[in-house]
Amino acid sequence: MKMLVLGGTLFLSRAIAEEGVRRGHEVVCAARGTSGQVPEGATLVKIDRDRPDGLEPLAGQKFDAVVDVAAMSYPWVRDALSAIGAQAGHWTFISSINVYADAVSTGQNEDAALHEPVESGADQEVRIEHPHLYGSIKVASENAVREAMGDRAFIVRSGLIVGPGDLSDRFGYWVARIAKGGRVAVPDSLEQPTQYVDVRDMAAWIVDAGERGLGGTYNGVGPTRPLGQVLAGIAEAVGPQDTELVPVPEDQLEAAGVQVWRGDKSLPLWVPPVDYGFMAHDHARSAAAGFRHRPFAEVVAGVLAYERELGLDRERKAGLTPAEEAELLELVKGGQS
């Protein structure tokens, strides 16, 4: 199979290219080539999707399967479909669970209401600060892919992706921190829902879809698990014997200025009840379509190995610094005395 990955140098797109190469496919990665290297065995074709003629190096080429991970640009998606869609046997588009209009209700499947489509582009900062706009751009992009590709379109609405290559610290923070042991500050919302998928499992499913010609729209998520169970599972997998998970009441977290989900002085994976639906979508349709998930211990082992490559004590994009955590734990200790 001749396979085109629009990207191929970072995280999910690189994992997809690696999986394609591993299976013996001819893999072409189309990217600027400035964010990293393509996997060994793949071919890099340099493109610039911000330029009107940026896809010209791909003109006239035919591909059995195309994978597009365009994050924040409807024009990128539209132009790629126009340039190479007619010569593609199958088209995967990586969308997002941010497309859903309701972030509160849990268990929503692929038929739930969506945001109104917005046919524009935006940068990473807008994606973080205005997730509804991000979702709206994804809705417009999904529509374009379906219109152009029909039953050859495979739409994956991804949730939280973890594993080797993840630089967000949303999951890696917990694995790295718990692996150090001692008293670990965790949110006391331990029953809140949490979902994740390993990037390697996602990549395998996407390559499977290209090989099988699988079409349709799917939530690219795994089973929903309580946050406390996830954190306890990490402790069981990599925590030293002295590891103690210390639940911190929400009011104390807020008083200490601790943020939810991401960013400086945050506890990743912790979300308010108004976002529980964001962390708990139905995955029955993707499971029936062959999406398989490796054992949790293997997920954690892969994350820890990558965290050690990066450096466990590095400055992070999310989580608490040792000083911030120590201060928080002292507040908890004081409240119990």
Side-chain angles (χ1 to χ4, degrees):
M1 182 171 75
K2 186 175 182 181
M3 180 178 173
L4 172 67
V5 180
L6 292 166
T9 61
L10 291 173
F11 198 30
L12 177 59
S13 67
R14 182 181 172 87
I16 294 166
E18 287 176 340
E19 180 67 15
V21 170
R22 187 187 69 79
R23 298 190 190 191
H25 297 308
E26 178 185 353
V27 179
V28 176
C29 297
R32 290 189 180 94
T34 58
S35 299
Q37 301 295 317
V38 301
E40 184 176 353
T43 300
L44 172 65
V45 174
K46 290 192 175 183
I47 64 169
D48 186 345
R49 299 178 78 173
D50 286 327
R51 295 173 55 89
D53 61 348
L55 295 173
E56 184 63 29
L58 298 173
Q61 296 195 49
K62 295 184 178 181
F63 299 96
D64 300 298
V66 175
V67 180
D68 189 2
V69 298
M72 277 297 289
S73 180
Y74 166 81
W76 279 16
V77 175
R78 175 201 62 204
D79 293 348
L81 290 164
S82 176
I84 56 178
Q87 289 78 44
H90 183 266
W91 195 284
T92 296
F93 176 66
I94 307 302
S95 186
S96 167
I97 55 174
N98 282 282
V99 298
Y100 294 110
D102 179 1
V104 180
S105 302
T106 59
Q108 295 178 81
N109 67 17
E110 292 83 351
D111 300 323
L114 308 179
H115 289 296
E116 290 298 317
V118 172
E119 298 181 352
S120 68
D123 59 21
Q124 176 73 8
E125 192 65 28
V126 173
R127 174 181 177 178
I128 293 172
E129 297 300 327
H130 303 283
H132 289 179
L133 176 59
Y134 172 54
S136 294
I137 292 171
K138 284 292 194 181
V139 171
S141 300
E142 286 188 9
N143 292 343
V145 173
R146 291 191 198 91
E147 182 178 353
M149 302 303 298
D151 59 8
R152 294 177 293 152
F154 179 60
I155 310 293
V156 180
R157 293 173 175 164
S158 68
L160 175 65
I161 306 175
V162 308
D166 178 21
L167 297 172
S168 74
D169 290 324
R170 288 175 297 186
F171 195 88
Y173 165 79
W174 289 115
V175 175
R177 173 61 193 91
I178 291 172
K180 294 180 180 179
R183 300 177 76 232
V184 182
V186 303
D188 72 346
S189 306
L190 298 179
E191 294 303 315
Q192 77 150 71
T194 304
Q195 280 180 315
Y196 67 88
V197 295
D198 189 286
V199 66
R200 296 163 293 182
D201 297 333
M202 178 76 90
W205 186 47
I206 289 168
V207 177
D208 284 346
E211 292 173 343
R212 296 163 51 196
L214 178 64
T217 299
Y218 302 86
N219 288 333
V221 298
T224 302
R225 305 175 65 188
L227 176 59
Q229 185 182 111
V230 171
L231 297 177
I234 295 173
E236 181 179 354
V238 300
Q241 287 189 347
D242 70 341
T243 302
E244 178 189 359
L245 304 182
V246 182
V248 183
E250 184 174 332
D251 59 347
Q252 290 188 320
L253 293 173
E254 292 176 350
V258 178
Q259 306 297 313
V260 298
W261 185 242
R262 62 174 180 265
D264 295 336
K265 200 173 184 181
S266 64
L267 285 180
L269 306 186
W270 173 41
V271 297
V274 293
D275 286 330
Y276 278 8
F278 178 75
M279 299 292 280
H281 288 84
D282 183 83
H283 78 294
R285 195 174 297 180
S286 61
F291 196 171
R292 299 292 178 262
H293 305 277
R294 69 191 58 215
F296 186 67
E298 288 185 19
V299 176
V300 174
V303 171
L304 183 57
Y306 186 66
E307 288 292 320
R308 284 174 170 156
E309 284 182 30
L310 298 176
L312 296 181
D313 297 319
R314 71 186 188 278
E315 185 175 342
R316 293 182 176 274
K317 297 178 180 178
L320 302 177
T321 67
E324 289 167 345
E325 184 184 37
E327 182 179 356
L328 190 60
L329 290 170
E330 279 300 311
L331 288 174
V332 176
K333 184 178 179 182
Q336 294 174 342
S337 60

